[in-house]
């Protein structure tokens, strides 16, 4: 089958600034692939390529031209060059999504209970960094909406104030009522992390993501071994695209969990490989979006349902579909603390 791919670049705008310890996002830049074929002229597949600035391993200056080269190669062969695209996970994820969408002719990329609209996927409520007052109000909003799992971005304001926020939540809700996760995005030094993990552990925290900057395998391994609360790796996995290197990282650090963003961690194929390797070692995992539009979010959710099967119990990080003022409509909807697929398009 002969394919054609058109690439369209687009800037999305956040409703409110999205703050992390690495900075604040006000806009989001994505490249959308539109895949068509004369063999089935009425059908097209849409995929999103959305690298995160200063974070994605494929956040490169000539992103658009490299993406065009890979798309040209796919047009010639009809086959995804997985080996060549290994270092470009956001491009790979977009091309995988476009092809899956084209092949199924539907936003249901995989035949799962979620894709058929029979089951929802549990998600966490995400609270972005901000002032004490802003974060407190956002926590209240998530609780009012019925979220049973809340994830707090920490590391930007005074740590004592962040502890106070957590203390207030735990003063009202026990761990049986609200699951609390925190994400430091590598904001702590190794010395700070040792003390702060002990303080956080007093409040029945489910896990902490990436307490120190990525690339410090020995120190991260020490933290995972000694920490009084479970540690999850996120940024640590970025750029680790070779299977043997993945095994080396997991065996060295031995985290409690890994957190996977397909556009950062190897596309669909790479995410499946990470989950398989983690499962073999008794390491838990969950999947999150990486601030994509609803096109990317739907693909991440469809993949999540296919990887973890029916009746998913672990809350996933898929609650980002309402972040933009100019998002792209897709048949997904948040109801309370679940993401649902409404219908196939």
């Amino acid at each position: 089958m002969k394919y054609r791919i058109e690439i369209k670049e687009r800037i999305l705008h956040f409703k409110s600034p999205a703050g992390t310890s690495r900075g604040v996002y006000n806009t989001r830049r994505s490249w959308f692939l539109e895949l068509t074929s004369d063999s089935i002229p009425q059908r097209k597949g849409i995929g999103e390529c959305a690298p995160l600035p200063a974070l994605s391993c494929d956040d490169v200056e000539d992103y658009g031209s490299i993406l065009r080269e890979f798309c040209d190669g796919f047009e010639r062969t009809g086959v995804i060059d997985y080996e060549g695209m290994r270092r470009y996970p956001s491009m790979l994820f977009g091309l995988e999504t476009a092809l899956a969408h084209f092949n199924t002719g539907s936003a249901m990329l995989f035949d799962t209970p979620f894709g058929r609209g029979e089951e929802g996927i549990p998600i966490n409520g995400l609270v972005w960094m901000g002032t004490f007052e802003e974060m407190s109000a956002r926590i209240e909003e998530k609780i009012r909406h019925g979220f049973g799992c809340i994830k707090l971005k920490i590391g930007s304001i005074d740590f004592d104030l962040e502890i106070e926020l957590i203390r207030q939540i735990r003063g009202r809700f026990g761990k049986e009522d609200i699951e609390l996760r925190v994400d430091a995005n590598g904001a702590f030094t190794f010395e700070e992390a040792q003390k702060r993990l002990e303080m956080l552990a007093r409040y029945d925290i489910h896990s902490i993501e990436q307490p120190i900057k990525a690339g410090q395998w020995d120190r991260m391994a020490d933290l995972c071994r000694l920490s009084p609360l479970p540690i999850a790796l996120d940024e640590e996995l970025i750029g680790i695209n070779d299977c043997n290197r993945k095994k080396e990282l997991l065996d060295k650090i031995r985290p409690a969990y890994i957190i996977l963003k397909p556009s950062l961690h190897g596309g669909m194929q790479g995410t499946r490989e990470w989950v398989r390797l983690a499962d073999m070692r008794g390491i838990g995992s969950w999947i999150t979006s990486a601030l994509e539009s609803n096109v990317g979010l739907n693909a991440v959710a469809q993949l999540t349902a296919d990887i973890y099967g029916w009746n998913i119990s672990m809350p996933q990080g898929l609650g980002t579909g309402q972040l933009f003022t100019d998002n792209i409509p897709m048949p997904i909807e948040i109801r309370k603390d679940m993401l649902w697929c409404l219908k196939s398009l």
Side-chain angles (χ1 to χ4, degrees):
M1 185 180 294
K2 188 69 173 177
Y3 297 102
R4 287 192 304 275
I5 297 177
E6 183 179 357
I7 303 173
K8 298 179 180 179
E9 186 178 342
R10 181 168 172 175
I11 302 294
L12 301 172
H13 300 83
F14 284 94
K15 293 178 180 177
S16 301
T20 76
S21 61
R22 292 184 301 273
V24 177
Y25 294 115
N26 291 292
T27 59
R28 186 75 168 95
R29 188 182 187 189
S30 290
W31 286 257
F32 291 90
L33 309 183
E34 184 174 299
L35 188 154
T36 57
S37 172
D38 290 339
S39 300
I40 314 178
Q42 73 278 13
R43 183 178 291 186
K44 65 181 177 181
I46 306 297
E48 181 178 6
C49 306
L52 279 168
L55 182 63
S56 297
C57 63
D58 55 358
D59 174 35
V60 292
E61 186 175 350
D62 51 349
Y63 187 95
S65 61
I66 294 174
L67 177 60
R68 183 68 260 175
E69 289 178 11
F70 283 125
C71 290
D72 289 345
F74 178 80
E75 288 179 343
R76 290 192 300 271
T77 66
V79 177
I80 295 176
D81 180 8
Y82 279 100
E83 187 58 35
M85 299 187 78
R86 187 182 294 273
R87 294 190 297 121
Y88 302 93
S90 66
M91 300 183 196
L92 175 58
F93 181 59
L95 185 52
E96 288 174 310
T97 299
L99 183 58
H101 189 202
F102 180 87
N103 286 338
T104 62
S106 164
M108 185 180 73
L109 305 185
F110 306 98
D111 186 12
T112 64
F114 169 76
R116 295 191 297 270
E118 298 166 3
E119 288 184 0
I121 298 176
I123 60 176
N124 62 253
L126 177 60
V127 175
W128 292 102
M129 289 178 174
T131 65
F132 180 89
E133 292 74 20
E134 288 170 339
M135 292 181 71
S136 181
R138 291 166 187 167
I139 291 167
E140 289 291 339
E141 180 185 12
K142 297 301 179 185
I143 292 172
R144 283 198 308 271
H145 278 80
F147 282 93
C149 175
I150 294 176
K151 172 181 166 179
L152 302 176
K153 292 275 189 179
I154 62 173
S156 66
I157 64 175
D158 184 85
F159 184 70
D160 289 338
L161 292 178
E162 291 171 336
I163 284 290
E164 176 60 21
L165 282 171
I166 292 169
R167 188 192 66 78
Q168 289 181 13
I169 298 173
R170 276 291 174 252
R172 296 168 55 196
F173 304 97
K175 64 179 181 180
E176 298 81 11
D177 305 306
I178 296 289
E179 179 179 291
L180 284 178
R181 300 173 180 175
V182 296
D183 182 2
N185 286 128
F188 304 150
T189 66
F190 176 71
E191 292 72 23
E192 287 173 338
Q194 291 177 299
K195 299 174 183 177
R196 292 178 178 183
L197 291 175
E198 292 178 2
M199 295 175 68
L200 289 165
R202 301 171 191 167
Y203 298 99
D204 294 313
I205 302 297
H206 171 272
S207 56
I208 181 170
E209 296 180 33
Q210 203 68 43
I212 62 175
K213 290 186 185 299
Q216 306 176 75
W217 286 20
D218 288 333
R219 288 192 159 185
M220 187 67 85
D222 287 341
L223 284 179
C224 288
R225 179 171 51 86
L226 300 172
S227 174
L229 71 150
I231 291 176
L233 302 185
D234 181 353
E235 288 92 338
E236 200 73 62
L237 313 180
I238 297 173
I240 310 296
N241 299 313
D242 176 76
C243 184
N244 288 330
R245 189 68 169 157
K246 291 178 183 180
K247 293 176 183 177
E248 183 182 355
L249 181 148
L250 295 175
D251 290 336
K252 172 73 175 180
I253 299 179
R254 286 285 171 180
Y257 301 100
I258 58 173
I259 302 166
L260 298 160
K261 298 177 174 69
S263 62
L264 270 71
H265 299 131
M268 293 186 181
Q269 178 172 280
T271 298
R272 291 182 191 277
E273 184 173 70
W274 273 116
V275 172
R276 177 178 60 82
L277 294 174
D279 284 347
M280 292 170 62
R281 290 159 173 79
I283 296 170
S285 66
W286 66 87
I287 294 174
T288 83
S289 65
L291 306 183
E292 299 94 349
S293 76
N294 279 337
V295 172
L297 175 60
N298 176 70
V300 175
Q302 300 286 340
L303 176 66
T304 299
D306 194 52
I307 287 176
Y308 293 125
W310 65 279
N311 196 26
I312 298 171
S313 58
M314 171 80 77
Q316 309 291 309
L318 306 176
T320 57
Q322 300 171 333
L323 291 178
F324 302 107
T325 60
D326 45 3
N327 212 330
I328 298 170
M330 288 295 285
I332 49 177
E333 177 182 83
I334 295 175
R335 303 176 196 164
K336 195 180 174 184
D337 61 348
M338 304 276 280
L339 183 69
W340 288 84
C341 185
L342 301 181
K343 61 181 179 179
S344 298
L345 291 180

